[in-house]
Structure formats: C-alpha cells, structure tokens
Amino acid sequence: MSNGSSVLVRPARNVRGSVRLPGDKSISHRYAMLAAIAEGTTRLENFSTGMDCASTLGCIRALGCAWERQVGDSNRIEIHGQGPRLQAAGGPLDCGNSGSTMRMLSGILAGQEFASELVGDESLSRRPMARVIKPLSAMGAMIEASSDDRPPLHIRGGRLKAIEYRMPVASAQVKSAVLFAGLFAAGETSVEEPVRTRDHGELALRAFGAQIERHGNKSRVSGGQTLHGIEARIPGDISSAAFFLCAAALFPESQLLIPDLLMNPTRARLLDVMAQISLGIHVKQLEEQHGELVGTIEVSGGALAGATVAGADSAALIDELPVLAAIAPYTRDGIEIRDAKELRVKESDRIAAVARNLQAMGAEVQEWEDGLRVPGQQHLHGADIDSCGDHRIAMAFAIAGLRAEGETRILGAQAADISYPGFFPTLEKLVER
C-alpha cells in the first residue's frame, strides 16, 4: 500500500466519551463464509466495515453467492446461501490484503469440485501459506503455490478425506480452514492446537447448525452436515477496542464507555492485561449471542504499570501486541513481548516496524527474533511514522502520538481502512486537548 496519505496526530490531555465499534472482523469473515454454504438467507447486523471483510464478501459473490448491504446505523447485510456447492468463479478470487480470507476460504474451496485461484495484493503475496496448504493437501485437495509456498494459490477441490491434524504452530485461521474443509470430508476431522486460540470458527459452525465437539485443545467436526442461515448482530471488534483502551490508559483522568463489545474468553485476555497495567475496567450487561459473550465496559485511566506477554498470551493477543508495545514507553515498568514470532509474517514485519517507529520517536527498544522489550518511563517526541501499509501499525502509533511531545505524522494512514474505516475521526472525537 502506498504512503500517499498521512494523518497528523497532536498531543492530547485526556480521552473521554463513548465509542461503538464496527463488527468484529474475525466473526464477520467466518459468518460470511459459512452463510455462503448454508441453506437459506443469513441476516447480519453490524458486519465489519473493513476492507478485509469486503474482500471476503467479494469472493463469495464471485462464487455465486448473492448478498446485499444496507448501510446505516445497523450496517446490515443479507447473504443468500447456496448450500454446500458453490459455483466456479469466472476468474481469480481477489483476497486483497486479507490473509484471513485466503486461508479460511481455502478450506471451503478444497471441498468444491472445481478449480479456483486465490490472489492478493503485494503484501498478501509475500505471506506464507504452507500452514494451510499442508493439512488441506493431506485431505485430498490439490494445491499449487509459488516455490516458497506464497500466493497465488491454485486449488483443485473435490472429495476430501477426514484427517487428525496436530497443528505445529497455533493459528486460528488454519484451524478454521481445516474445520471448514471437514464439512466436505468423509468421516470425522479433528484439529489439535498447541495452545488455545480464538474459537470463533467453532462457535460459528455451531451457530449455523453444525455438530462440533471440543475437548481441551482439540476440535472435531463430521462431514456431510447441512448448515442453515441465521440472524445475528456481530459484536464490536475487541481488537479495534484495544486502540481506544490504550489511549485511555495514557491519561489518569480518562473515562470511556464501549457498548456491545465482544467478550469471548479466547479474546478477552486483552482486558486482563490492561487491568494489570492499571487501567480500570468495569464490565456490565454481559450476555451470550450465538455462543459469543457480549458486554458493555466502562473504562477509567490510572497510573500505568507494566507487563510481560509470553507463551499462550502472545497467541491470544497477537493482534493487540503492536499497540501494547507502542504505549510501553509511557508505563512505569515497560512491556516485554516474547514468543510472538508470528508478528514477523503479518501484513508487515510488525516486530521490526514497531521497533523502528518507536526509535524514530526517541525510544529505547530491545528487539529479538520473537519479540521485543520496551523500557518504561521514557519521553517520546513526535516523528514521521511509516505505517508499512499495515493497519495495526498505523493505528498503534496514532495512540503513541497522543502523549508524545510535538506532532506525529502517520504516513500511509489509509492502511487503517483495512480493518477500521473512520478510525482517525473517531479517535479525534474522543480526545481532549
């Protein structure tokens, strides 16, 4: 993504107000894909407005699945399911910047009796796909990629066989892809992950009527099941909430209300970490919707402490780690991140991007292959920030800039549209100067 646009972030003295977040990106992807292969119409409110989920919608339309969007307060879409058999696309399926689209849709295409080609933008074309190619090939799909297992992917699907797959590296996208493929396989497919990752794929399958079992870190699904359309409101994206939580954490007098927020236990570890670094969080109106926990939170600022994120926490917080690192200089004890090598193969090398941009703002940073350490009690100054075309880097450093001395310019700020169109105006409404 070019650096043609920039946004200027000025220092703030407080964060105050209410923010209603776009629908969770992870759930939006999965609901749209399963709606395409379900029988009947699925109606979804608060569907993600991000470009990544638009890529998923574009792909299912190319595969013969009609849908309509009603833009408004509810941001509602209706998806008219085709049942398990989709139609061959008339050309390559464009996944844009969305690794989620490419990996998880591959699981569904592996069970279709036609050939498909999945392509992406320059960034996605550099991202490794071996983790999804290996299990789907073991199930009987024929998949070709570049010599280093990068896109484009050429998939010839057909009759699949069930497998018992033990994942070498935790990945919720790969887990979902294999479980989705399991719907088209003869027998029972199981996936065992080394540490627990977000379970939106399992919950979505269950919401659409599939029988799925989970014991510990292993999930099982039987082939030949029929899915049925649902009506649902997608809760607010907790990964997007991370930016506003971190903004509130920077100022002791902050007061923030976030209604209808996703509180799934496999994602809510973020709230525990924010509380650990002394952000006040009060949860109210907790309820369950299609297996997903949803609640309203009230947030108040406090004196920032510090944290170490490692092991299973790194997998659980993989999307939130960049913004946690970006506010680390303002904490008392700093933040250390380990076991997060996965960050190097996201939309950018996020470990390197965070380290380089923090250093541009005058911070001391220690970088490792699998993470970094950012000491606390540092004073940052404004700088030109390279988003690297990565939405989470662009947004993370907009937050860091709120307490820096002087102005911070986010280059390539339009990258935020990948997951959160309107992020910068929303942030501006919440800050007090």
Side-chain angles (χ1 to χ4, degrees), residues 195 269 273 276 308-318 320-321 338-339:
V195 297
R269 179 63 180 144
V273 172
Q276 180 183 335
T308 296
V309 182
D313 281 348
S314 293
L317 294 168
I318 198 70
E320 294 79 40
L321 293 177
R338 302 304 301 253
D339 306 314

Side-chain angles (χ1 to χ4, degrees), residues 149-171:
D149 291 324
R150 284 168 166 75
L153 297 185
H154 299 268
I155 302 175
R156 178 166 290 280
R159 296 180 182 271
L160 303 180
K161 61 182 180 181
I163 61 171
E164 293 190 2
Y165 187 60
R166 180 173 292 179
M167 296 172 56
V169 178
S171 169

Side-chain angles (χ1 to χ4, degrees), residues 103-122:
R103 292 192 179 99
M104 292 190 291
L105 191 59
S106 293
I108 291 174
L109 294 175
Q112 305 297 316
E113 295 185 356
F114 52 75
S116 301
E117 181 183 9
L118 293 166
V119 301
D121 66 8
E122 182 180 355

Side-chain angles (χ1 to χ4, degrees), residues 124-138:
L124 181 54
S125 298
R126 295 194 298 266
R127 297 179 67 179
M129 293 292 149
R131 289 181 196 166
V132 76
I133 292 172
K134 181 177 179 180
L136 296 180
S137 298

Side-chain angles (χ1 to χ4, degrees), residues 234-246:
I234 298 174
D237 191 320
I238 194 168
S239 294
S240 296
F243 301 102
F244 301 107
L245 294 175
C246 287

